[in-house]
Amino acid sequence: MNIDHISNNGIKAAKTPYPLVTVDTEKLAHNTGVVTDRCRSCGINVAGVIKGCNGIPQVARTMLESGCSQIGTSRMDQIIELKNCGLDDAEFLLVRIPMMSEAEEVALYADLSLESDVSVIKAIDEACGKFGKTHGVILMADLGDLREGFWSRDELVAAAVFIERSLDNIVLRGVGTNLGCYGSIKPDTEKMLDLIEIAEAVETSIGRKLDIISGGATSSYPLVMEGAMPERINHLRIGEGILLAYDLKEIWGLDMDDMYQDVFTLSAEVIEVRDKPTHPVGEIFIDCFGRQPEYEDRGIRKRALVAIGKLDFALNDKIFPRLPGAEVIGSSSDHCILDIEDCRSDIAVGDIIEFDLSYPSLMYLTGSRYTTIRTI
């Protein structure tokens, strides 16, 4: 699909419904290839996780064509939609622990799921029997991040033995963990060795090797880049590290020069340009979200009001104007305020400003019914 020409200063004439998120599939294919090739050289398969862009079908298709062995997402409706879009031959991994109420959907549509509760696994087994299906599970071990997973190693091993011996329609595919989310725990070699020990305890108890030892998500990928990932880890679930590669560069400090950070582009329209004070005038009380921000008085400066807001991207500091000199200084539900005093380009009402994204802003924007999605 074509998109209007964008000038070097990041401004173009408005012809499209905005806000607009454009996906560059060639850059996405490149990023996917870099990650999957590097992982494959270490014996690691990659599940391309698409929950961060809310399951855009072309993103899933590009990931599969470019090296991912599975597609992972947290929402069953995304899996169902992708199957209806012609990706029914792909292997789909549900990366959020299933709800009991969606056991039948999991049985019908997902090939594999992360699990931490035996009662839910039993429900999926029953549903599989009803529909003549089988379903693979990865038992999750909580190694300290304190989100999902068995805290007791013995309980996890007992669950593995129960699945192996007592459930006819569930295949125990492996064990996995998640780090760097709720508890902010950094994945390291020691955590991976702990997971391998758990996997080997399961293997001893069930009398066979596991197919999958899933060492986590994008936050575990630096171990691959640094050559510090233990050999038996053979599966990662990578989303942000392919979609944006922003965190790996800006937060982890890794050299990501071989990958694109601009796979996704946010374009939004300017609706007002004026010189105004930088400090509100009057008694400071609360903003529209019940908070009392602090404001820096920088005198009178030129500002552009853009037709996007927290309803679209949630966090001011997670969208980045490409226009040199522009700075996001605040937002309300439906308006974003840019300081453009130091911009060399003339900016007028009706111009389009482009932004780079990070994971939270991508997640909110692609999930909003007010955002137009375009792939090129």
Side-chain angles (χ1 to χ4, degrees):
M1 190 176 294
N2 294 323
I3 189 167
D4 297 333
H5 172 71
I6 300 171
S7 62
N8 291 333
N9 62 10
I11 304 171
K12 68 184 180 71
K15 295 181 181 179
T16 305
Y18 293 99
L20 168 70
V21 171
T22 303
V23 189
D24 189 319
T25 53
E26 288 189 7
K27 292 180 178 179
L28 176 63
H30 172 85
N31 282 5
T32 305
V34 170
V35 170
T36 56
D37 286 350
R38 182 174 283 135
C39 286
R40 193 176 297 113
S41 70
C42 300
I44 296 172
N45 290 320
V46 174
V49 179
I50 57 169
K51 65 187 180 75
C53 63
N54 283 280
I56 297 172
Q58 189 56 44
V59 170
R61 185 172 290 109
T62 301
M63 283 183 163
L64 286 168
E65 292 172 349
S66 305
C68 289
S69 60
Q70 300 164 332
I71 292 296
T73 190
S74 56
R75 311 285 171 151
M76 279 305 307
D77 61 347
Q78 292 178 17
I79 293 177
I80 294 168
E81 180 185 359
L82 289 168
K83 283 182 172 287
N84 290 335
C85 287
L87 291 176
D88 47 313
D89 290 335
E91 185 171 57
F92 286 100
L93 166 64
L94 183 64
V95 299
R96 183 174 69 179
I97 302 302
M99 294 180 279
M100 182 75 78
S101 60
E102 60 186 359
E104 289 197 354
E105 286 187 337
V106 173
L108 276 170
Y109 299 106
D111 302 288
L112 188 62
S113 59
L114 308 184
E115 298 286 348
S116 66
D117 189 280
V118 172
S119 64
V120 174
I121 299 171
K122 286 180 180 179
I124 297 171
D125 177 68
E126 183 178 346
C128 284
K130 177 180 176 181
F131 300 123
K133 297 273 192 176
T134 58
H135 181 79
V137 300
I138 297 173
L139 294 180
M140 295 295 281
D142 190 337
L143 299 182
D145 204 64
L146 303 183
R147 200 177 72 179
E148 79 273 46
F150 290 88
W151 186 249
S152 164
R153 180 176 303 192
D154 291 342
E155 186 183 358
L156 186 151
V157 172
V161 171
F162 173 76
I163 293 167
E164 188 79 1
R165 296 177 181 174
S166 303
L167 300 184
D168 296 328
N169 308 299
I170 299 295
V171 179
L172 177 62
R173 295 283 301 278
V175 299
T177 195
N178 183 76
L179 297 160
C181 283
Y182 168 74
S184 311
I185 297 301
K186 182 179 180 181
D188 57 23
T189 302
E190 183 178 353
K191 293 291 186 185
M192 297 300 104
L193 291 173
D194 287 344
L195 180 62
I196 292 168
E197 284 187 9
I198 292 170
E200 291 175 347
V202 169
E203 290 172 339
T204 298
S205 296
I206 65 174
R208 66 172 177 86
K209 292 288 187 182
L210 295 170
D211 298 331
I212 294 172
I213 304 179
S214 186
T218 294
S219 58
S220 295
Y221 180 61
L223 293 173
V224 176
M225 295 186 67
E226 295 162 357
M229 182 66 81
E231 285 186 12
R232 285 219 63 194
I233 301 297
N234 62 7
H235 184 272
L236 290 176
R237 312 176 304 275
I238 300 181
E240 195 279 340
I242 292 173
L243 299 174
L244 296 169
Y246 170 83
D247 288 355
L248 295 171
K249 179 178 180 180
E250 301 297 328
I251 298 175
W252 292 79
L254 297 172
D255 182 0
M256 304 303 293
D257 287 346
D258 60 346
M259 294 180 67
Y260 293 103
Q261 282 80 54
D262 60 348
V263 171
F264 294 84
T265 298
L266 166 64
S267 303
E269 187 171 347
V270 176
I271 55 177
E272 177 185 296
V273 178
R274 280 197 173 88
D275 292 341
K276 290 189 179 183
T278 49
H279 194 281
V281 179
E283 180 183 357
I284 301 293
F285 186 43
I286 60 171
D287 67 10
C288 60
F289 289 91
R291 300 174 303 176
Q292 191 175 75
E294 295 183 0
Y295 304 91
E296 180 184 359
D297 191 346
R298 302 169 65 190
I300 303 295
R301 292 178 67 86
K302 182 171 287 189
R303 309 191 319 168
L305 203 62
V306 183
I308 49 174
K310 288 187 173 70
L311 181 63
D312 305 295
F313 57 77
L315 303 171
N316 297 332
D317 61 343
K318 297 301 181 182
I319 60 171
F320 315 103
R322 291 179 182 171
L323 184 64
E327 176 188 359
V328 176
I329 60 172
S331 64
S332 60
S333 301
D334 305 293
H335 302 79
C336 181
I337 304 167
L338 301 183
D339 184 305
I340 57 171
E341 180 73 22
D342 298 328
C343 295
R344 294 183 179 180
S345 303
D346 290 331
I347 300 167
V349 169
D351 285 340
I352 303 303
I353 306 294
E354 291 187 320
F355 299 81
D356 286 315
L357 303 176
S358 63
Y359 192 75
S361 52
L362 176 65
M363 180 175 61
Y364 279 97
L365 281 158
T366 54
S368 171
R369 65 189 178 97
Y370 302 108
T371 302
T372 302
I373 308 292
R374 175 177 288 172
T375 58
I376 58 172

